[in-house]
Amino acid sequence: MKHRQIKKKVELAMAICMIMAAFVLARQGAVYVLSEKADDTEICIVVDAGHGGSDPGKVGVNDALEKDINLSVALKLKTLLEQRNIRVVLTRDSDTSLAPAGANNQKAADMQNRCQLITETEPVFTISIHQNSYTTPDIRGAQVFYYGQSKKGEELATILQKNLVSRLDPENRRTAKANESYYLLKKTPTPTVIVECGFLSNPEEAELLLDADYQNKLSRAIYMGILEYLEQEGLL
Ligand SMILES: [Zn+2]
């Protein structure tokens, strides 16, 4: 009888052990599920390489095409951000338009699809990469634009501008500038800034913008600005 009682106790203890093990496993499962969910809420940034396909954007005094420089800088920026485990969604990763082949107004369809992609992605913000041009060759320097009614857009643009000046071109006297009419700034529900990296109408800057080392420096300046903004927002 006594022996049978002991056996029952052992069985009970084993059952408790198994329940506890199952509980631990279930908890581990729950932790795993939670960490997967956390991936969904990780920092996500859209990097938009302006123009592409049949739309070259600005054409440099050295025949450099804006669309090519935009894509190159966007890809470099993506690599840097992904090294910090920041998720990057590109609007394009090759020389292509976002407009469907048969669209009547290619430019309008392209812009609408960029906006739709950004709206669906719900990024923390979007960085749109462009190159500038002017009627006289003396004008130069990177400049960041933000939507005038977006406080976060203004903060991000100001930080990016500061990093572009200090890390790329300390002579640059440009400041971040509000804009109320750019389609992408107006039509995206999350903050968007446009980085005009330099002027393709300035011979010296046009050459620099084609140079891989300069593009690396440029991408790093934008990247450091992004990190500074994310830290300020308490996201990093
Ligand atoms: Zn452009």
Side-chain angles (χ1 to χ4, degrees):
M1 195 69 173
K2 209 175 180 185
H3 180 71
R4 198 175 273 177
Q5 271 179 347
I6 289 168
K7 198 183 167 198
K8 272 202 168 171
K9 274 190 180 168
V10 169
E11 279 171 1
L12 185 64
M14 278 176 71
I16 289 169
C17 270
M18 282 172 76
I19 288 165
M20 282 178 71
F23 181 70
V24 168
L25 283 173
R27 274 188 61 89
Q28 281 176 347
V31 168
Y32 179 68
V33 169
L34 275 177
S35 70
E36 267 204 332
K37 266 200 170 175
D39 283 351
D40 291 342
T41 57
E42 71 191 350
I43 300 163
C44 175
I45 295 173
V46 171
V47 178
D48 172 51
H51 313 280
S54 60
D55 172 15
K58 305 277 164 44
V59 179
V61 287
N62 55 355
D63 291 332
L65 300 182
E66 181 191 347
K67 64 173 183 175
D68 297 334
I69 300 168
N70 294 345
L71 180 59
S72 183
V73 173
L75 291 171
K76 287 176 188 298
L77 184 56
K78 178 178 189 272
T79 302
L80 290 169
L81 290 166
E82 286 181 344
Q83 283 166 3
R84 277 297 289 253
N85 292 323
I86 293 169
R87 188 157 73 92
V88 175
V89 174
L90 295 173
T91 52
R92 66 179 178 100
D93 61 3
S94 61
D95 181 16
T96 183
S97 163
L98 271 73
N104 281 336
N105 187 336
Q106 286 281 313
K107 184 66 185 169
D110 174 85
M111 291 308 293
Q112 279 162 12
N113 282 337
R114 283 175 207 256
C115 284
Q116 192 182 336
L117 190 148
I118 291 165
T119 303
E120 285 167 4
T121 305
E122 294 179 41
V124 179
F125 54 78
T126 298
I127 304 263
S128 183
I129 307 289
H130 285 261
Q131 312 303 317
N132 221 332
S133 184
Y134 196 64
T135 48
T136 59
D138 53 316
I139 301 298
R140 58 176 294 163
Q143 187 163 31
V144 187
F145 293 86
Y146 60 93
Y147 188 44
Q149 293 170 45
S150 169
K151 192 75 199 137
K152 285 185 187 295
E154 182 179 3
E155 283 168 16
L156 174 60
T158 304
I159 289 173
L160 289 173
Q161 183 74 47
K162 185 188 76 177
N163 277 272
L164 282 163
V165 169
S166 66
R167 296 175 192 278
L168 192 69
D169 181 8
E171 306 273 287
N172 182 3
R173 293 286 170 266
R174 295 185 181 281
T175 54
K177 196 174 176 185
N179 182 288
E180 309 291 339
S181 60
Y182 287 162
Y183 186 86
L184 209 66
L185 297 181
K186 270 171 72 176
K187 299 287 183 183
T188 47
T190 40
T192 298
V193 296
I194 295 176
V195 180
E196 296 276 4
C197 304
F199 282 78
L200 290 174
S201 44
N202 177 279
E204 196 187 336
E205 207 162 48
E207 277 308 305
L208 285 172
L209 288 165
L210 274 186
D211 181 74
D213 287 342
Y214 188 80
Q215 287 182 2
N216 286 335
K217 213 172 153 186
L218 170 64
S219 309
R220 184 159 286 278
I222 298 170
Y223 166 71
M224 294 304 285
I226 289 173
L227 293 189
E228 188 179 330
Y229 173 80
L230 291 172
E231 275 166 17
Q232 184 184 290
E233 289 291 300
L235 295 167
L236 264 189

